[in-house]
Short mmCIF file of all heavy atoms in Angstrom, two decimals:
data_model
loop_
_atom_site.label_atom_id
_atom_site.label_comp_id
_atom_site.label_asym_id
_atom_site.label_seq_id
_atom_site.Cartn_x
_atom_site.Cartn_y
_atom_site.Cartn_z
N VAL F 138 10.84 59.89 -42.94
CA VAL F 138 10.28 58.64 -43.48
C VAL F 138 8.79 58.63 -43.21
O VAL F 138 8.34 58.95 -42.11
CB VAL F 138 10.96 57.42 -42.82
CG1 VAL F 138 10.25 56.13 -43.24
CG2 VAL F 138 12.42 57.35 -43.22
N THR F 139 8.00 58.27 -44.21
CA THR F 139 6.55 58.23 -44.08
C THR F 139 6.05 56.80 -44.20
O THR F 139 6.76 55.92 -44.71
CB THR F 139 5.89 59.10 -45.17
OG1 THR F 139 6.31 58.63 -46.46
CG2 THR F 139 6.28 60.56 -45.00
N SER F 140 4.83 56.57 -43.75
CA SER F 140 4.25 55.23 -43.80
C SER F 140 4.13 54.77 -45.25
O SER F 140 3.73 55.52 -46.14
CB SER F 140 2.88 55.22 -43.13
OG SER F 140 2.38 53.91 -43.04
N GLY F 141 4.51 53.52 -45.50
CA GLY F 141 4.48 52.97 -46.85
C GLY F 141 5.76 53.19 -47.62
O GLY F 141 5.88 52.76 -48.78
N ALA F 142 6.76 53.83 -47.01
CA ALA F 142 8.02 54.13 -47.70
C ALA F 142 8.77 52.84 -48.02
O ALA F 142 8.69 51.84 -47.31
CB ALA F 142 8.90 55.03 -46.83
N LYS F 143 9.51 52.87 -49.13
CA LYS F 143 10.33 51.73 -49.55
C LYS F 143 11.77 51.98 -49.13
O LYS F 143 12.35 53.01 -49.45
CB LYS F 143 10.24 51.54 -51.06
CG LYS F 143 8.86 51.12 -51.54
CD LYS F 143 8.82 50.93 -53.05
CE LYS F 143 7.44 50.51 -53.52
NZ LYS F 143 7.40 50.34 -54.99
N ILE F 144 12.33 51.04 -48.39
CA ILE F 144 13.70 51.12 -47.91
C ILE F 144 14.55 50.12 -48.69
O ILE F 144 14.29 48.91 -48.65
CB ILE F 144 13.79 50.81 -46.40
CG1 ILE F 144 12.82 51.71 -45.61
CG2 ILE F 144 15.21 50.98 -45.90
CD1 ILE F 144 13.13 53.18 -45.67
N MET F 145 15.54 50.62 -49.44
CA MET F 145 16.41 49.75 -50.22
C MET F 145 17.60 49.31 -49.37
O MET F 145 18.19 50.12 -48.66
CB MET F 145 16.93 50.50 -51.45
CG MET F 145 15.85 50.99 -52.40
SD MET F 145 14.96 49.65 -53.19
CE MET F 145 16.29 48.86 -54.08
N VAL F 146 17.92 48.03 -49.44
CA VAL F 146 19.04 47.47 -48.69
C VAL F 146 19.95 46.71 -49.65
O VAL F 146 19.49 45.90 -50.46
CB VAL F 146 18.55 46.50 -47.59
CG1 VAL F 146 19.73 45.95 -46.79
CG2 VAL F 146 17.58 47.21 -46.66
N VAL F 147 21.25 46.99 -49.58
CA VAL F 147 22.23 46.24 -50.36
C VAL F 147 23.27 45.68 -49.40
O VAL F 147 23.54 46.26 -48.35
CB VAL F 147 22.92 47.12 -51.43
CG1 VAL F 147 21.92 47.59 -52.47
CG2 VAL F 147 23.62 48.31 -50.80
N GLY F 148 23.81 44.52 -49.78
CA GLY F 148 24.80 43.88 -48.95
C GLY F 148 24.75 42.37 -49.11
O GLY F 148 23.81 41.83 -49.70
N SER F 149 25.75 41.69 -48.60
CA SER F 149 25.85 40.23 -48.70
C SER F 149 25.89 39.61 -47.32
O SER F 149 26.46 40.17 -46.39
CB SER F 149 27.12 39.84 -49.47
OG SER F 149 27.10 40.37 -50.78
N THR F 150 25.24 38.44 -47.20
CA THR F 150 25.28 37.72 -45.93
C THR F 150 26.65 37.05 -45.75
O THR F 150 27.42 36.92 -46.70
CB THR F 150 24.19 36.64 -45.87
OG1 THR F 150 24.46 35.66 -46.89
CG2 THR F 150 22.81 37.24 -46.11
N ILE F 151 26.90 36.61 -44.52
CA ILE F 151 28.16 35.91 -44.25
C ILE F 151 28.28 34.66 -45.12
O ILE F 151 29.35 34.35 -45.65
CB ILE F 151 28.24 35.52 -42.75
CG1 ILE F 151 28.29 36.80 -41.88
CG2 ILE F 151 29.46 34.64 -42.49
CD1 ILE F 151 29.53 37.62 -42.08
N ASN F 152 27.16 33.95 -45.29
CA ASN F 152 27.20 32.73 -46.12
C ASN F 152 27.55 33.05 -47.56
O ASN F 152 28.26 32.29 -48.22
CB ASN F 152 25.84 32.02 -46.05
CG ASN F 152 25.58 31.41 -44.69
OD1 ASN F 152 26.52 31.12 -43.95
ND2 ASN F 152 24.32 31.21 -44.34
N ASP F 153 27.04 34.18 -48.07
CA ASP F 153 27.37 34.58 -49.44
C ASP F 153 28.87 34.84 -49.58
O ASP F 153 29.49 34.48 -50.59
CB ASP F 153 26.59 35.83 -49.84
CG ASP F 153 25.10 35.55 -49.97
OD1 ASP F 153 24.75 34.38 -50.20
OD2 ASP F 153 24.31 36.50 -49.85
N VAL F 154 29.42 35.51 -48.57
CA VAL F 154 30.85 35.82 -48.63
C VAL F 154 31.69 34.55 -48.57
O VAL F 154 32.66 34.37 -49.31
CB VAL F 154 31.23 36.78 -47.47
CG1 VAL F 154 32.73 37.00 -47.44
CG2 VAL F 154 30.50 38.11 -47.64
N LEU F 155 31.28 33.61 -47.67
CA LEU F 155 32.04 32.38 -47.52
C LEU F 155 31.90 31.47 -48.73
O LEU F 155 32.76 30.62 -48.98
CB LEU F 155 31.57 31.63 -46.27
CG LEU F 155 31.82 32.33 -44.93
CD1 LEU F 155 31.26 31.51 -43.78
CD2 LEU F 155 33.32 32.58 -44.73
N ALA F 156 30.81 31.66 -49.49
CA ALA F 156 30.57 30.80 -50.65
C ALA F 156 31.31 31.26 -51.90
O ALA F 156 31.19 30.66 -52.95
CB ALA F 156 29.07 30.72 -50.94
N VAL F 157 32.05 32.35 -51.77
CA VAL F 157 32.79 32.86 -52.94
C VAL F 157 33.79 31.81 -53.40
O VAL F 157 34.51 31.21 -52.61
CB VAL F 157 33.51 34.18 -52.57
CG1 VAL F 157 34.41 34.61 -53.72
CG2 VAL F 157 32.50 35.26 -52.28
N ASN F 158 33.84 31.61 -54.71
CA ASN F 158 34.73 30.61 -55.30
C ASN F 158 36.15 31.17 -55.35
O ASN F 158 36.43 32.11 -56.06
CB ASN F 158 34.24 30.27 -56.71
CG ASN F 158 34.96 29.07 -57.29
OD1 ASN F 158 36.11 28.79 -56.95
ND2 ASN F 158 34.27 28.35 -58.15
N THR F 159 37.06 30.58 -54.59
CA THR F 159 38.43 31.08 -54.52
C THR F 159 39.15 31.06 -55.86
O THR F 159 39.78 32.04 -56.25
CB THR F 159 39.23 30.28 -53.48
OG1 THR F 159 38.55 30.38 -52.21
CG2 THR F 159 40.64 30.82 -53.35
#
Side-chain angles (χ1 to χ4, degrees):
V138 172
T139 57
S140 187
K143 294 180 180 179
I144 307 296
M145 300 294 299
V146 181
V147 295
S149 300
T150 64
I151 296 295
N152 291 336
D153 291 337
V154 174
L155 295 178
V157 173
N158 190 332
T159 303

